[in-house]
Amino acid sequence: MQLNLKNPIVFFDLETTGLNPKTERITEIGAVRIKNGEIIDSFDTFINPQMPIPLKIQQLTSITDAMVADAPLENDALNDFIKYCGDCRILSAHNATFDMSFLCAALERNNIDVQFTSIDTLPICRSVFPELKSHKLNIIAEHLNVNQIHHHRASDDARVLGEILIKLFEIIQDKTGEFHVAGINTALA
């Protein structure tokens, strides 16, 4: 599949109560939309997971039970996110398998029938920067001089991811004159 930054792409990140999409829940969705190589708008919402957030997750994300207590429930937050995406059905995430598994599980749980195509920036970064020992989002951000304010918060990670992919497009286009994406998968919900 061939992509360019003229068409809109939504870059998103999720924070969750744990690692298993079947038993854990989303606590935050952050997203930015890129068009013509620029971030044009953003989306951020907490989600009330209707379960306690484990202490280790609170320490990692800085999201507490009190912060999500009055947040929208999963169904409302998902519908707001889908409305934000509009006609754009291309979602990009760093380690998209994780984020898409949670998104798809939540959509299924709420009987929301939406299909998204996902771009995983992790294999792209591995391909472009094989010299790096780690390809975690914060490491790539540091390598590309992308300012990261609060790692492990969905809103900031989505913005950082958008800025990273813009820079990746520029690097790859400078080298090859075109951009082919290898990390694209279709996810059905």
Side-chain angles (χ1 to χ4, degrees):
M1 180 178 203
Q2 196 169 9
L3 279 179
N4 62 57
L5 287 180
K6 293 178 182 171
N7 299 321
I9 301 172
V10 172
F11 294 79
F12 82 111
D13 187 64
L14 304 177
E15 300 306 333
T16 65
T17 59
L19 300 176
N20 185 335
K22 301 270 189 228
T23 58
E24 303 296 337
R25 296 295 183 261
I26 300 168
T27 58
E28 184 184 24
I29 302 174
V32 297
R33 186 187 335 267
I34 292 186
K35 186 174 181 180
N36 296 321
E38 294 182 21
I39 295 175
I40 59 171
D41 57 31
S42 63
F43 173 89
D44 185 44
T45 186
F46 284 126
I47 299 176
N48 183 332
Q50 297 183 291
M51 64 189 304
I53 300 172
L55 181 59
K56 66 180 179 180
I57 299 296
Q58 290 183 43
Q59 292 169 340
L60 179 68
T61 65
S62 302
I63 299 172
T64 65
D65 290 329
M67 293 168 71
V68 298
D70 295 326
L73 297 179
E74 188 175 71
N75 187 280
D76 292 333
L78 289 171
N79 281 306
D80 289 345
F81 178 62
I82 292 166
K83 184 178 177 182
Y84 170 77
C85 292
D87 293 337
C88 181
R89 290 296 178 251
I90 299 175
L91 299 179
S92 182
H94 201 70
N95 190 14
T97 302
F98 176 84
D99 295 282
M100 290 301 293
S101 69
F102 268 89
L103 181 60
C104 289
L107 292 169
E108 184 177 323
R109 229 183 350 266
N110 287 277
N111 297 311
I112 300 172
D113 185 24
V114 178
Q115 180 178 336
F116 289 105
T117 297
S118 67
I119 301 170
D120 191 341
T121 57
L122 182 57
I124 298 169
C125 289
R126 286 180 178 145
S127 176
V128 174
F129 306 115
E131 71 278 7
L132 296 179
K133 292 181 182 178
S134 172
H135 294 87
K136 292 180 180 180
L137 187 65
N138 61 321
I139 302 295
I140 299 297
E142 183 178 320
H143 183 71
L144 292 174
N145 295 317
V146 172
N147 184 31
Q148 191 160 34
I149 299 166
H150 197 286
H151 186 44
H152 289 298
R153 280 300 302 275
S155 56
D156 192 49
D157 284 354
R159 178 196 53 79
V160 166
L161 180 59
E163 291 182 27
I164 285 171
L165 197 62
I166 290 169
K167 289 186 177 209
L168 286 173
F169 267 69
E170 292 169 359
I171 290 167
I172 294 169
Q173 285 177 335
D174 285 347
K175 289 181 179 180
T176 67
E178 56 186 25
F179 185 69
H180 295 278
V181 176
I184 297 180
N185 299 303
T186 299
L188 299 173

